[in-house]
Amino acid sequence: MQCNLAWVRHAGNVAWVRRAAASSQTRSVMSTPRPQIPEATIARLPSYLRALVDLDGNGVTTVSSTELAEAAGVQSALLRRDLSHFGSYGTRGVGYEVPVLMREIGEHVGTGTVWPVLVVGVGNMGRALAHHGASLDVSFQVVAMVDSNPAIVGTTVAGIQVRDQSDLEAVVAECRPRIAIITTPPEAAQQVCDRVVAAGVSSILNFAPVTLTIPEGATVRTVDLSQELQILAFHEARREPATDADTKELVR
Amino acid sequence: MQCNLAWVRHAGNVAWVRRAAASSQTRSVMSTPRPQIPEATIARLPSYLRALVDLDGNGVTTVSSTELAEAAGVQSALLRRDLSHFGSYGTRGVGYEVPVLMREIGEHVGTGTVWPVLVVGVGNMGRALAHHGASLDVSFQVVAMVDSNPAIVGTTVAGIQVRDQSDLEAVVAECRPRIAIITTPPEAAQQVCDRVVAAGVSSILNFAPVTLTIPEGATVRTVDLSQELQILAFHEARREPATDADTKELVR
DNA sequence: GCGTGTGAAGATCTTCACAGCA
DNA sequence: TGCTGTGAAGATCTTCACACGC
């Protein structure tokens, strides 16, 4: 019942810059005609925002594309191209006003909104994420947690009482999370994902080591420790392949 | 001193398929002339491997590109293109032999090797990763952990005694990790990264919310919860922007 | 002058479609 | 016949380089 969030209506003003963008969409279900932002650009916005927040915290009020790009670890031309998708926020010969750009990007990635988040699966990772989410970022608030283990259901983690996974639909209906984080074992992940999406959550952050299938219209991002390590190992093996072809055995 | 790994030399045989691949490398420091594998392909290998392991576990011995691609969530043509970078492992008219392909990809991403991993920063996330790494994946073994907090140094996490961060270089020299996972607060991450790289670790998995700068030749991959959530929020806001322009206030 | 915003070129990545082989 | 492996085409993403406007 208690979902840790009260809603206070505000005068929200997201200014969408219209722009020509026709993409070869096969299926057109009459969606809102907004500027088509490249996925690659979207993925970099958080880095830009972070760099801007840092600059702002240091009292910097103006920044050039070169400086900001360096802070975000990209080329300046790429930064300018990315920003251009949203409109013109810079001044030629000068640069960007930090607070202006910060607010602009912030609106796009949801700063100024507190996004209610559901955590499914309260293992080590789920717990860590709950604490992390509860402390570090004001834009995202864990409002509910569920687990299938009776020993965990009912306990309080990061100030939230863990509910039973069989009540998943009820919890979603009550707390109306916009984002779900899945940290279940891999076997359960797809089923949980299906249920969560069916219940109306269309954004999923998946920490389970499986490839999730979702219906058209929903978004999944998967973060997979093993896969990240394997990608690093691939590069590492190419740097020093000889020693790595060895096999090592554990002591304990 | 004790680093939880003993080394047993084996007859390692990584079969590198030579292939013509000239890329516009500006700097050529006489590196080994190996086939240039696209980064996008590398990032998908772990998914393919996982799907293959699943199939193998289910007793499946042969798989077509269509089936394997579906399991990995990609188009079949893309899978075939990806695999073609490493050579021909399929049989026309039949498909791929699961064990053969599994072993092949496995060798590239380091299966068959136990990669020693160092964890820097033993907070909630570091602990969760240590347990995760210690349990789920046999290819990666946390061999050492360090932290700067005196209250944490000396404690045992996932069977490993946490060492002092000031001994970082000594720990690296003793345990020779090939990969370092950074889970420090953001302020400390860059400095830790520099020290770890200077000590000879060239692969970094960064969980700290900062853009790390590393020297040429090293690899960093950053996993950032807040950024992932912001990317989801971006998409979510475009699905239902009206309600999201509101601001919510926390109850507790 | 200086730095943004952007056409045009280039690089990379994905898909198409089919030749080639079991 | 059926499925792989791959040229060629297409889509997407990045960089170049410079016109434009403060």
Side-chain angles (χ1 to χ4, degrees):
Chain A
M1 279 296 178
Q2 190 69 34
C3 289
N4 298 53
L5 267 190
W7 297 55
V8 181
R9 185 156 279 271
H10 252 239
N13 59 333
V14 177
W16 293 108
V17 181
R18 306 272 156 166
R19 196 162 280 255
S23 116
S24 58
Q25 293 275 23
T26 330
R27 34 170 167 63
S28 59
V29 201
M30 267 288 281
S31 61
T32 358
R34 291 236 198 67
Q36 179 71 7
I37 311 292
E39 193 59 36
T41 295
I42 298 169
R44 282 186 293 266
L45 292 182
S47 305
Y48 300 157
L49 181 57
R50 172 126 62 224
L52 285 165
V53 170
D54 280 357
L55 289 168
D56 191 57
N58 292 337
V60 180
T61 57
T62 300
V63 68
S64 72
S65 65
T66 313
E67 294 160 342
L68 184 53
E70 160 136 35
V74 300
Q75 297 284 107
S76 63
L78 182 54
L79 169 65
R80 292 200 300 277
R81 169 78 64 203
D82 282 343
L83 296 183
S84 77
H85 290 112
F86 299 95
S88 296
Y89 298 108
T91 309
R92 293 176 192 226
V94 179
Y96 301 91
E97 277 189 66
V98 172
V100 172
L101 193 54
M102 197 171 67
R103 183 163 38 75
E104 188 60 35
I105 297 180
E107 261 164 18
H108 284 290
V109 299
T111 304
T113 300
V114 175
W115 296 84
V117 174
L118 164 71
V119 174
V120 184
V122 190
N124 284 314
M125 190 60 74
R127 245 182 291 273
L129 293 180
H131 286 113
H132 181 99
S135 64
L136 274 191
D137 205 310
V138 287
S139 299
F140 301 96
Q141 175 73 19
V142 177
V143 291
M145 305 181 77
V146 303
D147 200 289
S148 58
N149 184 345
I152 291 175
V153 173
T155 60
T156 300
V157 174
I160 295 175
Q161 200 175 27
V162 179
R163 308 257 314 251
D164 195 292
Q165 196 158 305
S166 58
D167 298 338
L168 186 59
E169 286 75 11
V171 172
V172 171
E174 285 167 26
C175 304
R176 296 244 141 264
R178 296 291 300 266
I179 298 172
I181 302 181
I182 296 180
T183 43
T184 64
E187 313 81 58
Q190 181 65 62
Q191 195 227 4
V192 161
C193 175
D194 291 344
R195 288 175 63 194
V196 164
V197 170
V201 180
S202 45
S203 293
I204 308 275
L205 183 52
N206 172 43
F207 281 82
V210 283
T211 302
L212 291 183
T213 306
I214 44 145
E216 179 75 29
T219 310
V220 192
R221 294 186 64 86
T222 294
V223 173
D224 188 326
L225 176 62
S226 299
Q227 296 208 354
E228 295 296 329
L229 289 174
Q230 287 179 352
I231 294 168
L232 287 176
F234 181 98
H235 292 293
E236 193 63 25
R238 300 218 137 193
R239 275 193 280 269
E240 289 183 38
T243 26
D244 297 333
D246 301 359
T247 299
K248 299 149 204 169
E249 257 174 16
L250 301 184
V251 166
R252 29 167 299 127
Chain B
M1 279 300 181
Q2 189 69 34
C3 289
N4 298 52
L5 267 189
W7 299 54
V8 180
R9 183 155 282 269
H10 252 239
N13 58 333
V14 178
W16 295 109
V17 181
R18 305 273 158 165
R19 195 163 280 255
S23 113
S24 57
Q25 294 274 22
T26 331
R27 32 171 169 61
S28 60
V29 200
M30 267 288 281
S31 61
T32 357
R34 291 236 199 66
Q36 180 72 5
I37 312 290
E39 192 60 36
T41 295
I42 297 169
R44 282 186 292 266
L45 292 182
S47 305
Y48 300 157
L49 181 57
R50 173 127 59 223
L52 286 165
V53 170
D54 279 358
L55 289 168
D56 191 57
N58 292 338
V60 179
T61 57
T62 299
V63 69
S64 70
S65 64
T66 312
E67 293 160 343
L68 183 54
E70 160 136 33
V74 300
Q75 296 283 107
S76 63
L78 182 54
L79 169 66
R80 292 200 300 277
R81 169 78 64 202
D82 282 341
L83 296 183
S84 77
H85 290 113
F86 299 95
S88 295
Y89 299 109
T91 309
R92 293 172 192 231
V94 179
Y96 301 92
E97 277 189 66
V98 172
V100 172
L101 193 53
M102 196 171 66
R103 184 163 38 73
E104 189 60 34
I105 297 180
E107 261 164 17
H108 284 290
V109 299
T111 304
T113 301
V114 175
W115 296 84
V117 173
L118 165 69
V119 173
V120 184
V122 190
N124 283 316
M125 190 60 74
R127 244 183 291 272
L129 293 179
H131 286 113
H132 181 101
S135 64
L136 275 189
D137 205 310
V138 288
S139 298
F140 302 95
Q141 174 74 20
V142 177
V143 291
M145 306 181 76
V146 303
D147 199 289
S148 58
N149 183 345
I152 291 174
V153 173
T155 61
T156 299
V157 174
I160 294 174
Q161 200 175 27
V162 179
R163 308 255 316 247
D164 195 292
Q165 197 158 303
S166 58
D167 297 337
L168 185 59
E169 286 75 10
V171 172
V172 172
E174 286 167 26
C175 303
R176 297 245 140 264
R178 295 291 299 267
I179 297 172
I181 300 180
I182 297 181
T183 44
T184 64
E187 313 81 59
Q190 181 64 62
Q191 194 228 4
V192 161
C193 175
D194 291 345
R195 288 174 64 193
V196 165
V197 171
V201 180
S202 45
S203 293
I204 308 275
L205 183 52
N206 173 42
F207 281 82
V210 283
T211 303
L212 291 182
T213 307
I214 45 145
E216 181 75 27
T219 309
V220 192
R221 293 187 63 87
T222 294
V223 173
D224 188 325
L225 175 63
S226 298
Q227 296 207 354
E228 295 295 330
L229 289 175
Q230 288 180 352
I231 293 167
L232 288 177
F234 181 97
H235 291 294
E236 194 63 26
R238 300 216 138 194
R239 274 192 280 268
E240 289 183 38
T243 26
D244 297 333
D246 301 359
T247 299
K248 300 150 205 169
E249 257 175 16
L250 300 185
V251 167
R252 28 168 300 127

